[in-house]
Amino acid sequence: MERIYVCDIKDSKDTQILVRGWVHKIHELSTISFVHLRDKTGIIQLVMDKKHSKQLRLEMSIEAIGEKVMNEKAPGGIELDAKELTILGEVFYDKLPFEINGFKLNACLEKQLDYRALALRRPKTRAVFKVQEEITDAFRTYLKSRRFSEIHTPKVISSSTEGGSEMFTVDYFGRRAFLAQSPQFYKQMMVGAGFERVFEIAPAYRAELHNTWRHLNEYISLDIEMGFIKDETELMDLEEGFLNYLYSVLRKTCKSEFEMYNIELPEKIEIPRIPLAEAHKILLDKYNKKSPVGNIDAEGEVLISKYVKETYNCDFVFLTEYPVAKRPMYAMPDSEKPGLTKSFDLIFKGLEITTGGQRIHNYEMLKENIKKFGLNPDDFAFYLETFKYGMPPHGGLAIGLERLTLKILDLENVREATLLPRDLRRLEP
Amino acid sequence: MERIYVCDIKDSKDTQILVRGWVHKIHELSTISFVHLRDKTGIIQLVMDKKHSKQLRLEMSIEAIGEKVMNEKAPGGIELDAKELTILGEVFYDKLPFEINGFKLNACLEKQLDYRALALRRPKTRAVFKVQEEITDAFRTYLKSRRFSEIHTPKVISSSTEGGSEMFTVDYFGRRAFLAQSPQFYKQMMVGAGFERVFEIAPAYRAELHNTWRHLNEYISLDIEMGFIKDETELMDLEEGFLNYLYSVLRKTCKSEFEMYNIELPEKIEIPRIPLAEAHKILLDKYNKKSPVGNIDAEGEVLISKYVKETYNCDFVFLTEYPVAKRPMYAMPDSEKPGLTKSFDLIFKGLEITTGGQRIHNYEMLKENIKKFGLNPDDFAFYLETFKYGMPPHGGLAIGLERLTLKILDLENVREATLLPRDLRRLEP
């Protein structure tokens, strides 16, 4: 007899069915018991003789065979009159660390993370990762339909992309290596290698000493690099197009997840593009908020999002024209606006989720810029090598997957959008 | 005017077209020149005035606008009468390190890897990664259709899965951490966390001191873990099903790539399952080959594949029933066959590409087994924690992506199936 998933029971023609899952709730009456079985896809009520349910404890994994019965009072309108019951996985606890089956999970986030495998059994907690999976799928589908190739580049690298700070070091057979902050150099190389348009979904590492709601030391970066572009506006168009596509997908695939989190997605996203200097002016005029030179701080991100929401009814805003001094050495200077680069950030509900821009593609210009930044071109030999052979104009961007998930679901902490977060303190589980 | 990709020119209704790409070949006659332009999708001949072609050098990136002309003598039967020509990316070399446009790439693998971005411009070299991308897509599609969830687990971990040898160490804010050899513990945890069936496509690390054609120190692992299984045969069925699906996909999507490599895929794969002890006996009887106790060496892998090819006309063979002593502490012992485990390897054309098996799911049994292996259960506290709450019977497997690609295309070195390989010596590019 084949196992049937809970979500498929309603439409199944079989009357005798076999289900598997975990014991979610036990409610014993005088002779019979109602037991809720939870599988990956949902929860069904099993009705059984009390002598069967006596051996059950919460969170055991079980198999049950029985007759499908329509019952308006049961959750989902269906229950199973269970005749056979098998315990598949025993439990070994005195008391569960927290309740899985309550309306709220009565444990702080740290405790949930300590018992991550157990906390994720709660459907609402696990739902975050259904949404996250749809995000990566939509990212991949959207880009592949535009002839992007998915690539895999090494995460153990010999040199730093951005100057060496805030990187984890690895002992590589006695040599000092690093964990990649981003696939920046490699994705550019792969554009030059003839793939033209590439993307990568892979871990990235930041040895930052921040321990906040929005920082992770290991996260998943959705990276894009695109050759033969006109300028950075093509990249913003691409990201805006992706976000619109993503929302259209999520509306279809994550209905029940959005219901759990009480989220409604807008029909159409049109993202304002505001030069950084103008954003500074808005922040000062409207909120009396001073910004750091050539940048925007966390408070500024929140305020500019508030402004854009009120003015344009949009949750997103592109900040553009960052100054040369605040961008990496590979950022393309804007020849018409001295001191500025053809770069941008994307702020989503007060949180930066993307940095992007056009890159320098001319070998001599890049070498000169590396020097201007006080770096040694010899340290970037393999990177520079690519630029000797007809590197086309190109640019790209990166989206932090956990941050995007966090903001779509209005979560409070980026760790909620990570199966097993790594932060300053946490290396386990 | 919108850019058109070379592969779309034939079916395009436009007569005036714009193409972009790299200068693949230049052939100058008295007044006109034939220039081959290569983009991501193919090569087209441009016919231009010699005064235009004079400024061109091999591997520059260019844009050309002109009229589409049918010409039987041109490659693909079409050429472009180029009227406008723009150089998009300059070149900075005296002599190319090797030819891109020859029939063979006249550079050894090491040199190709040193100039990886350039070597990949050769369509045949890049074709490997088109096949590789189809493999990961097929893996994902096949598993998702069977209700597997894609997960992302951390690669920086606090303890080792297999006992601590052969792992790279990371300085994690002053603490000693490791790069994960596999997501073994985490994928099991996620089965227990209610995802039931999970897969991951992510880097894995082995600090092995081997420097051979088949070893990489960083590789992409296609990992599967599946809950509520009967036994390990379900896992072999799953992998066999995947491989059949994969081949059906590749036959459709990679026709031209397989032509380049002269590969024909069999219509149907039925994989023999041979207990290890029986394989040992075959090797001894048929090839006078002795095997190491409880295992099979590289020569044995080649010979047993030869035997299976001759006997069953199959490129694959599952070796089963590995002894307890040669498998990790989490391998499920076979209660009916003392000393053996419910595990398997998959050998493909003489190379191991998969290790898999059923795992122990009972908390007490797992704890005892950890002790039997001379390890301390306290070191596995977070892993063991998962097993206290109704862990169902489960198992899984992992496929080395580069090895699978290598063998499908009959390549000689696993580095050919890696964009940017990491080995004992190579940390760059």
Side-chain angles (χ1 to χ4, degrees):
Chain A
M1 200 168 178
E2 277 223 3
R3 177 240 182 126
I4 186 165
Y5 284 91
V6 168
C7 70
D8 296 331
I9 292 175
K10 205 168 186 176
D11 295 334
S12 160
K13 281 174 203 147
D14 298 330
T15 50
Q16 287 291 316
I17 60 174
L18 185 158
V19 291
R20 292 184 187 133
W22 287 271
V23 175
H24 188 67
K25 254 184 197 165
I26 305 172
H27 183 51
E28 297 188 316
L29 301 180
S30 55
T31 55
I32 60 157
S33 298
F34 297 108
V35 173
H36 285 192
L37 174 140
R38 183 192 67 242
D39 74 7
K40 179 178 182 138
T41 70
I43 292 170
I44 187 164
Q45 178 164 289
L46 313 179
V47 188
M48 61 181 74
D49 201 290
K50 202 170 166 179
K51 71 170 190 278
H52 285 314
S53 71
K54 259 184 174 167
Q55 51 179 328
L56 295 182
R57 292 187 68 200
L58 289 178
E59 298 306 323
M60 275 180 169
S61 60
I62 60 170
E63 174 179 296
I65 300 177
E67 200 174 328
K68 186 169 112 177
V69 180
M70 306 310 275
N71 176 0
E72 273 184 20
K73 286 180 199 162
I78 299 175
E79 63 186 18
L80 194 67
D81 195 358
K83 297 298 173 211
E84 286 178 47
L85 184 71
T86 315
I87 293 171
L88 299 173
E90 297 280 354
V91 293
F92 302 83
Y93 65 81
D94 292 329
K95 187 175 177 295
L96 286 172
F98 40 74
E99 274 182 16
I100 306 298
N101 58 17
F103 179 68
K104 278 200 79 162
L105 211 166
N106 54 352
C108 67
L109 180 57
E110 282 302 305
K111 187 166 186 183
Q112 291 184 42
L113 295 177
D114 286 341
Y115 297 90
R116 193 54 162 157
L118 195 63
L120 285 164
R121 289 201 178 167
R122 186 169 164 255
K124 187 172 172 178
T125 306
R126 212 168 55 243
V128 173
F129 300 94
K130 159 75 174 161
V131 175
Q132 189 162 83
E133 195 176 346
E134 294 293 339
I135 293 174
T136 54
D137 281 351
F139 184 74
R140 184 176 287 111
T141 305
Y142 185 77
L143 292 175
K144 278 182 182 266
S145 73
R146 280 157 185 76
R147 290 196 199 276
F148 281 80
S149 298
E150 186 164 12
I151 57 170
H152 303 283
T153 66
K155 303 306 155 203
V156 177
I157 60 174
S158 66
S159 63
S160 68
T161 36
E162 321 273 330
S165 68
E166 302 188 331
M167 295 185 81
F168 292 111
T169 55
V170 179
D171 178 353
Y172 194 79
F173 301 116
R175 291 159 71 185
R176 183 179 156 87
F178 302 93
L179 291 180
Q181 284 175 315
S182 94
Q184 184 60 39
F185 288 179
Y186 293 136
K187 61 180 183 167
Q188 290 184 260
M189 279 174 70
M190 291 307 126
V191 166
F195 291 101
E196 296 192 27
R197 298 172 165 208
V198 297
F199 70 94
E200 182 165 8
I201 301 174
Y205 299 87
R206 302 278 164 106
E208 295 177 323
L209 288 164
H210 304 296
N211 215 21
T212 77
W213 63 273
R214 63 207 183 110
H215 285 96
L216 289 169
N217 296 102
E218 174 170 0
Y219 70 99
I220 300 294
S221 182
L222 307 178
D223 263 279
I224 292 177
E225 199 74 16
M226 186 175 177
F228 296 106
I229 61 170
K230 195 171 83 342
D231 56 32
E232 78 283 13
T233 60
E234 244 180 278
L235 302 168
M236 288 188 272
D237 293 346
L238 183 78
E239 186 164 17
E240 186 171 322
F242 161 63
L243 290 168
N244 275 287
Y245 173 72
L246 172 64
Y247 275 25
S248 74
V249 168
L250 293 179
R251 264 192 298 271
K252 271 178 252 160
T253 58
C254 294
K255 265 189 188 147
S256 63
E257 288 76 14
F258 285 141
E259 269 169 32
M260 290 183 198
Y261 283 90
N262 201 19
I263 299 293
E264 259 185 72
L265 298 178
E267 279 296 321
K268 188 157 169 53
I269 311 167
E270 280 177 286
I271 308 180
R273 300 173 186 190
I274 305 181
L276 183 67
E278 197 181 315
H280 280 181
K281 198 171 173 309
I282 292 166
L283 290 175
L284 195 63
D285 291 354
K286 217 170 147 63
Y287 304 103
N288 199 26
K289 158 76 188 162
K290 285 182 193 158
S291 294
V293 176
N295 214 336
I296 187 165
D297 59 18
E299 193 195 356
E301 287 177 356
V302 171
L303 290 174
I304 197 72
S305 284
K306 185 170 142 66
Y307 167 81
V308 167
K309 183 72 182 171
E310 287 167 8
T311 314
Y312 302 97
N313 191 28
C314 185
D315 291 327
F316 297 86
V317 54
F318 281 116
L319 299 184
T320 63
E321 300 181 6
Y322 278 76
V324 170
K326 294 289 169 183
R327 294 304 239 202
M329 52 80 175
Y330 50 76
M332 179 66 99
D334 191 328
S335 57
E336 288 164 24
K337 294 171 183 161
L340 302 181
T341 59
K342 298 174 88 60
S343 67
F344 58 87
D345 275 10
L346 179 64
I347 317 290
F348 177 23
K349 294 181 186 169
L351 181 67
E352 182 226 301
I353 61 161
T354 287
T355 294
Q358 185 173 351
R359 331 294 189 186
I360 296 172
H361 61 279
N362 180 286
Y363 172 72
E364 292 293 352
M365 185 176 173
L366 183 57
K367 215 166 73 173
E368 282 312 305
N369 226 44
I370 289 175
K371 286 183 202 161
K372 269 190 212 162
F373 272 68
L375 301 165
N376 184 351
D378 294 346
D379 294 343
F380 300 90
F382 80 78
Y383 173 58
L384 277 169
E385 181 65 28
T386 311
F387 293 81
K388 289 184 185 167
Y389 311 103
M391 191 72 170
H394 66 284
L397 58 90
I399 306 173
L401 174 61
E402 296 83 356
R403 286 189 168 193
L404 179 57
T405 314
L406 167 86
K407 282 298 173 183
I408 285 179
L409 287 173
D410 284 342
L411 306 175
E412 288 179 5
N413 192 309
V414 73
R415 289 163 186 78
E416 296 174 68
T418 318
L419 284 176
L420 298 152
R422 290 290 173 262
D423 62 31
L424 256 180
R425 277 181 235 116
R426 191 174 285 280
L427 253 176
E428 285 185 356
Chain B
M1 201 168 176
E2 277 222 4
R3 176 239 183 125
I4 186 164
Y5 283 91
V6 168
C7 71
D8 296 331
I9 292 175
K10 206 169 186 175
D11 295 335
S12 161
K13 281 176 203 143
D14 298 329
T15 49
Q16 287 290 316
I17 60 173
L18 185 158
V19 291
R20 290 183 188 136
W22 286 271
V23 175
H24 188 66
K25 254 185 198 165
I26 306 172
H27 182 52
E28 296 188 317
L29 300 180
S30 56
T31 55
I32 60 156
S33 297
F34 297 108
V35 173
H36 285 191
L37 175 140
R38 184 192 66 241
D39 75 6
K40 181 178 180 137
T41 70
I43 292 171
I44 187 165
Q45 179 164 292
L46 313 180
V47 187
M48 61 181 73
D49 201 289
K50 201 169 166 182
K51 70 170 193 277
H52 285 315
S53 71
K54 260 185 174 166
Q55 51 179 328
L56 295 182
R57 292 187 67 200
L58 289 177
E59 298 307 323
M60 275 179 168
S61 61
I62 60 171
E63 174 179 295
I65 300 177
E67 201 175 327
K68 186 169 111 175
V69 180
M70 306 310 275
N71 175 0
E72 273 185 19
K73 286 181 201 161
I78 299 175
E79 63 186 16
L80 195 68
D81 195 359
K83 297 300 175 210
E84 286 179 46
L85 183 73
T86 315
I87 292 171
L88 300 174
E90 298 279 353
V91 292
F92 302 81
Y93 64 81
D94 292 327
K95 187 175 177 297
L96 286 172
F98 40 73
E99 273 182 16
I100 306 299
N101 58 17
F103 179 69
K104 279 201 78 164
L105 213 166
N106 54 350
C108 67
L109 181 58
E110 282 302 304
K111 187 165 187 185
Q112 291 184 43
L113 296 176
D114 286 340
Y115 296 91
R116 193 53 161 158
L118 195 63
L120 285 163
R121 289 203 179 164
R122 184 166 165 257
K124 186 172 173 178
T125 306
R126 213 168 55 245
V128 173
F129 300 94
K130 159 72 174 163
V131 174
Q132 189 163 83
E133 195 176 347
E134 294 294 339
I135 293 174
T136 54
D137 282 351
F139 184 75
R140 184 177 287 111
T141 305
Y142 185 78
L143 293 174
K144 278 182 180 265
S145 73
R146 280 156 185 77
R147 289 196 200 276
F148 281 79
S149 298
E150 185 165 11
I151 57 170
H152 304 283
T153 66
K155 304 306 153 201
V156 178
I157 61 174
S158 68
S159 62
S160 69
T161 37
E162 320 274 330
S165 67
E166 304 189 330
M167 294 186 82
F168 291 111
T169 55
V170 179
D171 178 354
Y172 196 78
F173 301 116
R175 291 160 70 186
R176 182 178 156 90
F178 302 93
L179 290 181
Q181 284 175 312
S182 94
Q184 183 59 39
F185 288 0
Y186 293 136
K187 61 179 184 167
Q188 289 184 261
M189 279 174 70
M190 291 307 126
V191 166
F195 290 101
E196 295 192 26
R197 298 172 166 207
V198 298
F199 71 95
E200 181 165 9
I201 301 174
Y205 299 87
R206 302 279 163 105
E208 295 176 322
L209 289 164
H210 302 298
N211 216 21
T212 77
W213 63 273
R214 63 209 184 111
H215 285 95
L216 289 168
N217 297 103
E218 173 169 0
Y219 69 98
I220 300 295
S221 182
L222 307 179
D223 262 279
I224 292 177
E225 199 74 16
M226 186 174 177
F228 296 106
I229 60 170
K230 195 171 82 347
D231 56 33
E232 79 282 14
T233 60
E234 245 180 277
L235 303 168
M236 288 188 271
D237 293 346
L238 182 77
E239 187 164 17
E240 186 171 321
F242 161 63
L243 290 168
N244 275 287
Y245 173 72
L246 172 63
Y247 275 25
S248 75
V249 168
L250 292 180
R251 263 192 298 272
K252 271 179 249 157
T253 57
C254 295
K255 265 189 189 146
S256 64
E257 288 76 15
F258 284 141
E259 270 169 31
M260 288 183 200
Y261 282 90
N262 201 18
I263 298 292
E264 259 185 72
L265 299 178
E267 279 295 320
K268 188 158 170 51
I269 310 168
E270 281 178 287
I271 308 180
R273 299 173 187 191
I274 305 181
L276 184 67
E278 197 183 315
H280 280 181
K281 198 171 173 308
I282 291 166
L283 289 176
L284 196 63
D285 291 354
K286 217 170 146 60
Y287 304 102
N288 198 25
K289 158 77 189 162
K290 285 181 192 160
S291 294
V293 175
N295 214 335
I296 188 165
D297 58 18
E299 193 195 354
E301 288 177 355
V302 172
L303 290 174
I304 197 72
S305 284
K306 186 170 140 67
Y307 167 80
V308 167
K309 183 71 183 174
E310 287 166 8
T311 314
Y312 302 97
N313 191 27
C314 186
D315 292 326
F316 298 87
V317 55
F318 280 117
L319 299 183
T320 64
E321 299 182 5
Y322 278 76
V324 169
K326 295 288 171 183
R327 294 303 242 202
M329 53 79 175
Y330 50 76
M332 178 67 100
D334 192 329
S335 57
E336 288 163 24
K337 293 170 184 162
L340 301 181
T341 59
K342 297 174 90 59
S343 67
F344 58 88
D345 275 10
L346 179 63
I347 316 288
F348 178 22
K349 294 182 187 168
L351 181 68
E352 182 227 302
I353 61 161
T354 287
T355 294
Q358 186 173 351
R359 331 293 189 185
I360 297 171
H361 60 278
N362 181 285
Y363 172 72
E364 292 292 354
M365 185 176 174
L366 183 57
K367 214 166 73 174
E368 281 314 303
N369 226 44
I370 289 174
K371 286 184 204 160
K372 268 191 215 164
F373 272 66
L375 301 165
N376 185 351
D378 294 346
D379 294 342
F380 300 89
F382 80 79
Y383 173 59
L384 278 169
E385 180 65 28
T386 311
F387 292 82
K388 289 184 186 166
Y389 311 103
M391 191 70 170
H394 66 284
L397 58 92
I399 306 173
L401 174 60
E402 296 84 354
R403 286 189 169 195
L404 179 57
T405 314
L406 167 86
K407 281 298 173 183
I408 285 179
L409 287 173
D410 284 340
L411 307 176
E412 289 178 4
N413 193 308
V414 72
R415 290 163 185 78
E416 295 174 68
T418 319
L419 284 176
L420 299 153
R422 289 291 173 262
D423 63 31
L424 256 181
R425 278 182 234 118
R426 190 175 284 281
L427 254 176
E428 286 186 354

